[in-house]
């Protein structure tokens, strides 16, 4: 329930049917706190499969639509007590811009998966549409939702590790080592099509690393230099990259991403070096934050709602007592939770979110797409430094 409007928000899901991955995560995470109800869907690119998938999501047949055009049109015509408040877009990258712009123009708030769009022009168009419509737009860079990531952000903001000198993020996966492009995969064939994916592992995971560095340190990037590689013999997209960043305060940044590293599952790490201490967080052990100070013993902060060391922002991102692991769904739900706060306020009072929100927003989305474009430009030009 959302206190401002005394009801749950009504959700429409686009994508997620069949073997799809992230649509199901959206469906669960959005409803985890009982603040939203999944009411409608256009769940697949195939009209028949879109309708057939509806029972799995508990969507009534008369609100299972064959495509997003039908969903937006039909939902707009429903009584305002019935129609959806927002859509969640969990479709391939090349479809995000068109669906998001159409949904905003039809009067709905939007939650969209990353990367926000495939081109900077599309991203700018989307920014314009969000500003014109005054609707809420959230981008699911879900790693920003982990309590110990929020703890890291607050520790840095409070100056507890001093001035930031360096930041490193490594995002390692290995699934492409066994990927055979001659066989149609059960899901995600679009990820090997440059026209649909826009980039390879860079957009898939490199953008998460970039966004997390920005979220945790708050520092902007002045320029970057990148080397990318396609080690996979038949897939025409990058699968490995090394990106150097020069941050606004002179700090040095490094992103290393790979989907070609044998045995790596979702090995995503963030490390920050400050003048007084350093931080380390690992996605595969997300309930811990390691704090080091030279000459002192290593401190391991556990996600602990009652822990005195926990900053308020981190405490508010937890749901259950310490020692009971929280993970991917809860972090995803924290992005939704913050977006729901703004949606409910918008419905109740016409409130419009600004440039800074706790959830990644359309401006973060534009920056992420620009990051991809700058990395590609640098890689094409012998790793030449690119102003951001
Ligand atoms: N935030 C994360 O951690 C995370 C993780 C994985 C994927 N993603 C992003 O989520 C998006 C989807 O990725 P995925 O791995 O779930 O892909 P997927 O291929 O597993 O699923 C895509 C789904 O979208 C449907 N679809 C395609 N075009 C559609 C359309 N026009 N209308 C309705 N449905 C349509 C497909 O039928 C399928 O059900 C991508 O943008 C990806 O980058 C984000």
């Amino acid at each position: 329930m959302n206190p401002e409007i005394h009801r749950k928000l009504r959700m429409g899901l686009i994508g997620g049917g069949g073997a799809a991955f992230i649509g199901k995560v959206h469906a669960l995470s959005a409803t985890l706190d009982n603040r939203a109800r999944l009411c409608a869907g256009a769940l697949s690119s195939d009209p028949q499969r879109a309708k057939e998938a509806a029972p799995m999501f508990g969507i009534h047949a008369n609100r299972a639509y064959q495509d997003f055009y039908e969903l937006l049109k039909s939902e707009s015509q429903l009584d305002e007590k019935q129609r959806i408040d927002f859509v969640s877009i969990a479709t391939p990258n090349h479809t995000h811009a068109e669906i998001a712009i159409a949904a905003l123009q039809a009067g709905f708030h939007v939650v969209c998966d990353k990367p926000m769009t495939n081109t900077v022009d599309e991203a700018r168009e989307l920014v314009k549409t969000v500003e014109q419509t005054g609707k809420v737009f959230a981008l699911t860079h879900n790693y920003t939702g982990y309590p110990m990531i929020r703890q890291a952000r607050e520790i840095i903001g409070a100056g507890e590790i001093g001035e930031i000198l360096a930041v490193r993020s490594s995002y390692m996966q290995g699934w492409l080592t066994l990927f055979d492009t001659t066989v149609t995969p059960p899901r995600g064939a679009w990820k090997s099509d440059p026209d649909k994916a826009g980039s390879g592992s860079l957009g898939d995971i490199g953008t998460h690393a970039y966004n997390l560095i920005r979220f945790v340190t708050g520092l902007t990037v002045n320029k970057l230099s990148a080397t990318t590689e396609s080690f996979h013999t038949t897939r025409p997209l990058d699968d490995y990259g090394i990106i150097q960043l020069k941050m606004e305060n002179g700090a040095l940044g490094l992103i290393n991403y790979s989907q070609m590293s044998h045995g790596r599952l979702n090995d995503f790490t963030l490390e920050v070096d400050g003048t007084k201490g350093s931080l380390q967080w690992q996605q595969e052990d997300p309930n811990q934050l390691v704090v080091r100070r030279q000459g002192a013993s290593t401190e391991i902060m556990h996600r602990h709602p009652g822990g005195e060391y926990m900053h308020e922002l981190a405490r508010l991102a937890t749901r259950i007592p310490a020692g009971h692991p929280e993970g991917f769904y809860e972090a995803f739900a924290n992005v939704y939770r913050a977006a729901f706060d703004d949606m409910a306020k918008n419905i109740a009072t016409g409130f419009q979110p600004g440039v800074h929100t706790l959830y990644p927003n359309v401006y973060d989305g534009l920056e992420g797409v620009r990051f991809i474009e700058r990395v590609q430009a640098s890689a094409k030009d012998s790793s030449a430094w690119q102003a951001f």
Side-chain angles (χ1 to χ4, degrees):
M1 188 76 87
N2 299 280
E4 298 88 345
I5 52 175
H6 308 292
R7 66 170 175 85
K8 291 185 184 182
L9 289 157
R10 294 179 289 269
M11 171 182 185
L13 177 62
I14 304 181
F21 168 29
I22 213 69
K24 294 176 186 69
V25 177
H26 280 266
L28 262 170
S29 306
T31 53
L32 193 70
D33 292 317
N34 287 315
R35 291 180 61 177
R37 189 160 57 86
L38 180 54
C39 299
L43 301 166
S44 168
S45 55
D46 178 275
Q48 194 181 334
R49 272 190 255 139
K51 285 178 167 265
E52 283 169 2
M56 241 201 71
F57 289 83
I59 294 171
H60 195 277
N62 62 10
R63 290 174 87 178
Y65 301 104
Q66 61 173 9
D67 55 40
F68 78 88
Y69 302 105
E70 192 188 39
L71 179 143
L72 296 179
K73 190 162 171 234
S74 303
E75 289 292 322
S76 307
Q77 289 165 357
L78 290 179
D79 181 88
E80 70 167 35
K81 289 206 168 116
Q82 251 196 309
R83 69 168 166 252
I84 55 169
D85 297 291
F86 72 98
V87 297
S88 293
I89 302 171
T91 55
N93 303 348
H94 67 293
T95 65
H96 294 176
E98 186 191 2
I99 300 174
I101 288 170
L104 290 161
Q105 287 173 343
F108 302 117
H109 302 289
V110 169
V111 178
C112 181
D113 225 305
K114 42 52 61 182
M116 187 170 83
T117 62
N118 267 0
T119 68
V120 172
D121 283 350
E122 287 172 339
R124 291 206 175 107
E125 193 60 33
L126 192 42
V127 169
K128 220 184 338 165
T129 312
V130 169
E131 288 174 349
Q132 280 164 356
T133 59
K135 295 287 167 191
V136 173
F137 181 96
L139 191 72
T140 42
H141 275 301
N142 43 297
Y143 298 101
T144 63
Y146 280 95
M148 299 318 281
I149 278 294
R150 293 186 173 180
Q151 173 80 355
R153 175 171 149 142
E154 293 297 278
I155 285 175
I156 289 169
E160 291 174 36
I161 62 161
E163 182 78 13
I164 295 175
L165 303 173
V167 52
R168 293 173 297 285
S169 181
S170 132
Y171 200 152
M172 300 285 125
Q173 296 182 341
W175 62 274
L176 273 177
T177 52
L178 301 177
F179 189 77
D180 182 351
T181 50
T182 62
V183 177
T184 308
R187 70 169 193 90
W190 61 270
K191 288 192 180 195
S192 297
D193 180 343
D195 291 334
K196 294 182 177 169
S199 67
S201 310
L202 173 60
D204 208 22
I205 58 175
T207 46
H208 275 309
Y210 175 79
N211 176 265
L212 204 63
I213 285 176
R214 290 280 290 111
F215 180 83
V216 168
T217 68
L219 295 172
T220 54
V221 173
N222 279 354
K223 55 182 181 172
L224 63 78
S225 156
T227 305
T228 63
E229 192 53 75
S230 297
F231 288 120
H232 199 287
T233 47
T234 61
R235 191 174 171 271
L237 286 162
D238 65 281
D239 47 46
Y240 194 98
I242 302 165
I243 304 158
Q244 286 190 72
L245 308 171
K246 288 224 170 116
M247 319 296 283
E248 58 178 321
N249 70 339
L252 300 183
L254 181 66
I255 293 175
N256 183 195
Y257 68 83
S258 166
Q259 291 182 317
M260 287 297 290
S261 298
H262 277 272
R264 297 299 181 96
L265 301 175
N266 198 40
D267 192 352
F268 183 15
T269 302
L270 182 75
E271 296 182 70
V272 185
D273 292 335
T275 49
K276 294 199 247 168
S278 71
L279 302 177
Q280 182 184 37
W281 178 83
Q282 292 173 294
Q283 193 276 161
E284 291 182 352
D285 203 354
N287 290 281
Q288 294 188 357
L289 179 69
V290 181
V291 186
R292 295 184 175 90
R293 287 187 179 83
Q294 197 63 22
S297 56
T298 300
E299 185 180 358
I300 299 176
M301 291 182 175
H302 296 273
R303 180 195 62 79
H304 192 327
E308 277 179 16
Y309 54 85
M310 289 285 282
H311 284 269
E312 190 65 3
L313 190 69
R315 194 195 309 274
L316 289 173
T318 71
R319 289 177 179 73
I320 50 177
H324 300 72
E326 288 185 357
F328 196 79
Y329 286 115
E330 288 90 346
F332 220 97
N334 286 334
V335 174
Y336 266 102
R337 193 191 259 183
F340 288 162
D341 286 343
D342 278 4
M343 286 185 205
K345 268 196 264 174
N346 175 278
I347 293 167
T349 67
F351 162 86
Q352 291 186 13
V355 173
H356 301 292
T357 57
L358 181 55
Y359 54 89
N361 61 29
V362 76
Y363 304 101
D364 300 299
L366 169 60
E367 204 181 308
V369 179
R370 189 154 160 72
F371 165 74
I372 294 172
E373 186 244 1
R374 296 281 83 192
V375 169
Q376 288 174 328
S378 174
K380 220 182 265 174
D381 189 14
S382 312
S383 313
W385 284 92
Q386 305 284 321
F388 204 83

